[in-house]
Amino acid sequence: MGYVVLHLDKSPRNESAMTDHIERKVIAPNVDPSRTHLNEQLIEFPEGVANRTEAIQHRIENAGLSCKVGKNQVQVIRLILSGSTDDMLKIQADGKLDDWCRDSMDWLKKEYGEKNIVAATLHLDEDAPHIHASVVPIVQGERRQKKSNKVQEAPKKQYRKKNANRPRLCADDVMIKEKLIHYQDAYAETMAKYGLDRGIKGSEARHISTSEFYRNQKEESNNLQINIGLLLAQEEAKRNSIEQLRRQEQEARHNYEQAEIQKQQKEAELKEHIDFLEEEKQEVYEKVRDMYDRKDEARGKFLDMHEYNQQKEQEIAVTEARLEQLKQDYEPYKAQEDLNLLFEVFPMLSERLRITQLCKGIGLTIEATKRLFTGEALTITGELHSQEHAQSFSVQDAKLQLFKDRENPDKLKLSINGKNISEWFKQQFSKLHQTFRRPVIQAKKGGGIKM
């Protein structure tokens, strides 16, 4: 069983550097830039707030504080929520990372107040998944009295006490020893279902700084290098399997095309045979009509002609029966049954078809869709269309990429800037309706997407 990581740190006045690090405006040496697009903002900033630093100031200005914030007063407490590296990677591999994030955010809101959690970012581009949370320590209640050895003298004058329930900014009330112990206990209880345990109580381990935490994470990562050879071998085997499946897919497509050609040939042959029989039938009908036209001239041969007519009618019946039999004997090639068979043998074909239709619906070209299937991340500028909301949304340098679903590897997910495309459309649609009830701008016909 691994251990819970809960790190709290009072920050200095200037938060610009930490904001740049969390929001990846500055890339640290321990960050893998190729995975930065996987990072996710877990809290949406208020309208008009562009980043974490502005979010801290926005909370302080709108908390209803009656006292001016001191020059050296702590305005935000930084938290890092994670666990032992191996355990966090297993949580991610098991598809439980979303549940872990949700439980961690619920715990933060319960302990510090939802309004005080001004920023939270999930980082997936370092050694182990972890959350950076920012808490503005707005509290209520009586101030905590400092301990003193001096004998208190009776006050000479009684002053009117201030309202104890007024909001105030006080990091000391949040970071007292008793509460720090409580945070560790409570968070460990929340994380127990993920196989994470609390650190040893009473341990002589000291509280480390954020920089030391990253250094320790880096050392732990270095210990994993001995497994790189095995992981590379597994990756190569996976790549070979994908290549084999790709060849099988091409072979299946070739077989399907050949079957389609055979179907067209058989349809052409049948049509030719049917046309021949129709001509033969028409000829018989013309002979019968001609015979009836001359019946007055050959009345004496009426009985013979009657027999002849019966014979011809029998021939016609035989011809029609033969034509019907030919129609029944010929069974057109049922492409859908073959497609269903292909989908059953190769499940990813059905999933790729679904993704292709999804990409076409939002406005992507076939070439762009092919690039997505190769694993390439596309940078999109233009408009994306949501069929669910009947609405197009503008994007600027957005990143589109395909990923396997965490819960079902046979399923694919199309993401934009690390967020599921359907969730992204819902979010954009919600923003649109929250903005002063401005009219929805419909997508221009033939607008297209620029990459």
Side-chain angles (χ1 to χ4, degrees):
M1 179 178 288
Y3 292 102
V4 166
V5 172
L6 178 62
H7 179 80
L8 292 86
D9 188 19
K10 293 181 182 178
S11 78
R13 175 84 175 184
N14 190 346
E15 278 297 292
S16 297
M18 180 55 67
T19 296
D20 288 345
H21 166 71
I22 293 175
E23 297 181 357
R24 294 303 188 244
K25 296 177 182 177
V26 175
I27 303 299
N30 62 315
V31 172
D32 181 0
S34 66
R35 293 190 291 153
T36 298
H37 66 280
L38 300 175
N39 296 346
E40 183 178 352
Q41 294 289 344
L42 302 179
I43 290 183
E44 185 177 352
F45 294 140
E47 184 177 358
V49 174
N51 55 44
R52 171 180 172 274
T53 303
E54 293 182 10
I56 295 170
Q57 190 63 31
H58 180 274
R59 173 56 179 153
I60 293 174
E61 292 175 353
N62 293 274
L65 301 179
S66 58
C67 296
K68 183 179 179 181
V69 177
K71 183 177 180 180
N72 297 321
Q73 195 168 357
V74 175
Q75 296 185 10
V76 65
I77 297 173
R78 305 169 180 166
L79 292 91
I80 297 178
L81 298 86
S82 186
S84 303
T85 300
D86 291 343
D87 296 274
M88 291 305 300
L89 293 176
K90 185 177 186 303
I91 290 173
Q92 184 179 16
D94 292 343
K96 298 179 180 179
L97 191 59
D98 289 342
D99 294 336
W100 178 84
C101 289
R102 183 175 58 253
D103 290 340
S104 295
M105 292 303 301
D106 289 344
W107 179 83
L108 283 169
K109 294 173 184 178
K110 177 182 177 182
E111 292 293 338
Y112 304 104
E114 183 172 358
K115 292 183 178 181
N116 290 337
I117 315 298
V118 297
T121 303
L122 172 65
H123 279 175
L124 297 176
D125 55 359
E126 297 182 40
D127 296 328
H130 59 277
I131 294 174
H132 280 276
S134 301
V135 175
V136 176
I138 303 295
V139 299
Q140 291 180 321
E142 293 287 349
R143 291 183 178 274
R144 186 170 55 89
Q145 299 296 326
K146 296 182 179 180
K147 295 182 179 180
S148 175
N149 295 327
K150 294 182 179 181
V151 177
Q152 295 183 354
E153 298 179 356
K156 296 180 181 180
K157 187 176 181 180
Q158 297 292 331
Y159 295 94
R160 186 179 63 180
K161 292 186 178 180
K162 296 179 180 179
N163 184 4
N165 291 324
R166 74 187 190 284
R168 53 193 176 85
L169 182 68
C170 184
D172 290 341
D173 282 10
V174 177
M175 297 286 283
I176 61 175
K177 182 178 180 180
E178 292 80 4
K179 287 190 176 181
L180 292 175
I181 294 174
H182 164 73
Y183 299 150
Q184 298 291 341
D185 291 340
Y187 189 56
E189 290 179 4
T190 302
M191 295 291 105
K193 63 181 180 180
Y194 298 103
L196 298 175
D197 199 2
R198 189 197 190 287
I200 301 173
K201 291 187 178 181
S203 170
E204 296 181 359
R206 62 187 180 86
H207 188 73
I208 61 175
S209 66
T210 301
S211 60
E212 288 178 296
F213 170 79
Y214 277 114
R215 186 164 56 252
N216 292 341
Q217 289 290 87
K218 187 62 178 178
E219 291 176 358
E220 188 174 333
S221 175
N222 291 337
N223 293 332
L224 297 177
Q225 295 301 316
I226 58 175
N227 293 322
I228 288 180
L230 177 59
L231 292 175
L232 290 176
Q234 293 175 347
E235 184 66 22
E236 182 65 22
K238 186 186 298 182
R239 189 179 297 108
N240 292 337
S241 298
I242 292 173
E243 184 62 30
Q244 182 180 2
L245 288 174
R246 186 177 291 111
R247 289 195 297 269
Q248 292 175 350
E249 179 184 353
Q250 293 174 351
E251 182 179 353
R253 186 180 293 108
H254 174 74
N255 292 338
Y256 169 75
E257 292 172 352
Q258 293 298 317
E260 185 67 21
I261 293 173
Q262 292 178 4
K263 171 193 171 185
Q264 294 174 358
Q265 291 175 347
K266 289 182 179 180
E267 287 179 344
E269 292 174 0
L270 178 64
K271 184 177 183 303
E272 183 179 355
H273 199 67
I274 290 175
D275 291 342
F276 174 76
L277 292 176
E278 288 290 345
E279 291 177 1
E280 197 174 82
K281 175 181 176 182
Q282 186 65 29
E283 184 179 351
V284 172
Y285 280 141
E286 289 176 357
K287 289 181 179 179
V288 172
R289 284 197 300 269
D290 184 59
M291 178 190 65
Y292 277 112
D293 291 340
R294 296 197 305 263
K295 69 178 180 178
D296 291 337
E297 299 176 3
R299 187 175 299 277
K301 300 180 181 179
F302 175 76
L303 294 177
D304 294 337
M305 291 300 296
H306 180 67
E307 293 178 359
Y308 178 78
N309 290 342
Q310 289 181 337
Q311 181 181 359
K312 288 300 181 182
E313 287 177 356
Q314 291 177 356
E315 292 178 358
I316 293 173
V318 171
T319 301
E320 290 179 341
R322 182 182 176 190
L323 177 61
E324 185 64 27
Q325 185 63 40
L326 285 173
K327 290 182 179 179
Q328 293 178 0
D329 290 342
Y330 174 71
E331 295 183 359
Y333 185 84
K334 298 179 178 57
Q336 186 58 46
E337 293 181 0
D338 283 5
L339 283 176
N340 293 337
L341 179 59
L342 288 175
F343 290 157
E344 182 178 353
V345 176
F346 305 106
M348 287 304 295
L349 285 180
S350 176
E351 183 63 10
R352 282 172 174 259
L353 178 59
R354 184 185 70 81
I355 292 297
T356 301
Q357 292 173 341
L358 173 61
C359 293
K360 180 180 178 182
I362 67 176
L364 293 184
T365 64
I366 292 297
E367 291 301 322
T369 304
K370 288 181 178 179
R371 290 166 61 189
L372 284 174
F373 279 126
T374 64
E376 181 179 349
L378 300 184
T379 302
I380 302 298
T381 296
E383 291 184 341
L384 296 177
H385 182 73
S386 171
Q387 294 180 339
E388 178 182 355
H389 301 98
Q391 176 66 41
S392 295
F393 302 94
S394 297
V395 293
Q396 179 71 31
D397 293 333
K399 288 188 176 180
L400 281 178
Q401 195 166 14
L402 282 176
F403 296 97
K404 286 189 176 180
D405 191 278
R406 294 170 179 159
E407 297 180 358
N408 187 352
D410 289 336
K411 292 292 183 179
L412 296 175
K413 293 174 64 176
L414 179 61
S415 71
I416 178 169
N417 293 333
K419 183 182 291 295
N420 188 285
I421 188 72
S422 60
E423 294 298 326
W424 184 86
F425 275 135
K426 289 180 182 178
Q427 186 180 39
Q428 299 305 310
F429 188 79
S430 177
K431 287 182 179 179
L432 188 63
H433 282 268
Q434 291 175 1
T435 308
F436 304 109
R437 296 182 178 177
R438 290 183 292 188
V440 176
I441 302 176
Q442 297 294 334
K444 295 182 179 179
K445 186 175 181 181
I449 296 176
K450 182 175 69 176
M451 293 183 290

